[in-house]
Amino acid sequence: MKERAHVMTRRSFAGLMAAAFLAGPAAAAQADEAVVRVHKDPNCGCCDGWVRHLRDTGFTVQVEETADLDAIRSRLGIPPDLAACHTAEVAGYVVEGHVPATAVRRLLLERPNARGIAVPGMPIGSPGMEGGRPQRYEVVLFGAEGQRPYMRFVGSQAID
């Protein structure tokens, strides 16, 4: 009997992806075990909203209030054009700004070779910036290889 080399077909790839999807809750639980350390200004209400968003989606969050976020961003290597109103650290990555929990979870599951992810500015409708008509915005992956789009959102809803 001849042995057949296993070739990845669309059907076998789809099966592999289905298995990964079904394992999703276990993988999400692992991501949730990571503690998110948030550096924020003590007077920032939208930062409190983002922390609440993370906690509501299952993350454990530790808040460190500081008025000197520029020093923290410098120490963590966040490019100035990606700066927002709060900075977080989780599992060796940096998360800058109003990044949806969905993107943080993806970062922790995929473990890309990057410094972190960011949502520059304060887009209306992003987590912590609710109210008004939600804007379309990008989560940017950044690191030694530069910057590139990682995910796109309208409000907290991923659109691709």
Side-chain angles (χ1 to χ4, degrees):
M1 178 184 245
K2 279 187 168 178
E3 288 186 37
R4 283 181 38 194
H6 183 70
V7 176
M8 180 69 74
T9 64
R10 273 191 260 177
R11 183 174 287 161
S12 61
F13 179 74
L16 179 64
M17 294 309 295
F21 178 78
L22 293 174
Q30 285 179 332
D32 290 343
E33 291 175 10
V35 175
V36 181
R37 191 167 109 197
V38 178
H39 307 278
K40 66 175 241 9
D41 185 286
N43 301 310
C44 185
C46 67
C47 297
D48 292 334
W50 186 70
V51 167
R52 191 171 35 259
H53 165 74
L54 288 182
R55 287 180 173 148
D56 288 349
T57 57
F59 282 97
T60 300
V61 181
Q62 293 177 342
V63 175
E64 295 185 10
E65 296 186 342
T66 179
D68 194 7
L69 289 168
D70 287 338
I72 291 168
R73 288 188 188 107
S74 178
R75 174 178 59 84
L76 295 173
I78 298 169
D81 63 319
L82 297 181
C85 69
H86 52 265
T87 302
E89 299 174 80
V90 59
Y93 288 103
V94 175
V95 178
E96 177 70 8
H98 292 270
V99 177
T102 304
V104 176
R105 220 173 243 105
R106 178 179 168 194
L107 176 77
L108 296 175
L109 293 173
E110 292 180 349
R111 308 285 307 166
N113 182 19
R115 185 75 199 108
I117 54 178
V119 170
M122 300 166 70
I124 296 171
S126 60
M129 293 296 298
E130 292 85 359
R133 185 172 181 208
Q135 296 175 314
R136 179 184 172 123
Y137 61 95
E138 282 187 341
V139 175
V140 177
L141 183 74
F142 66 95
E145 297 178 9
Q147 301 177 14
R148 68 172 177 83
Y150 189 61
M151 294 181 79
R152 290 177 181 83
F153 287 83
V154 172
S156 291
Q157 181 68 43
I159 56 174
D160 60 358

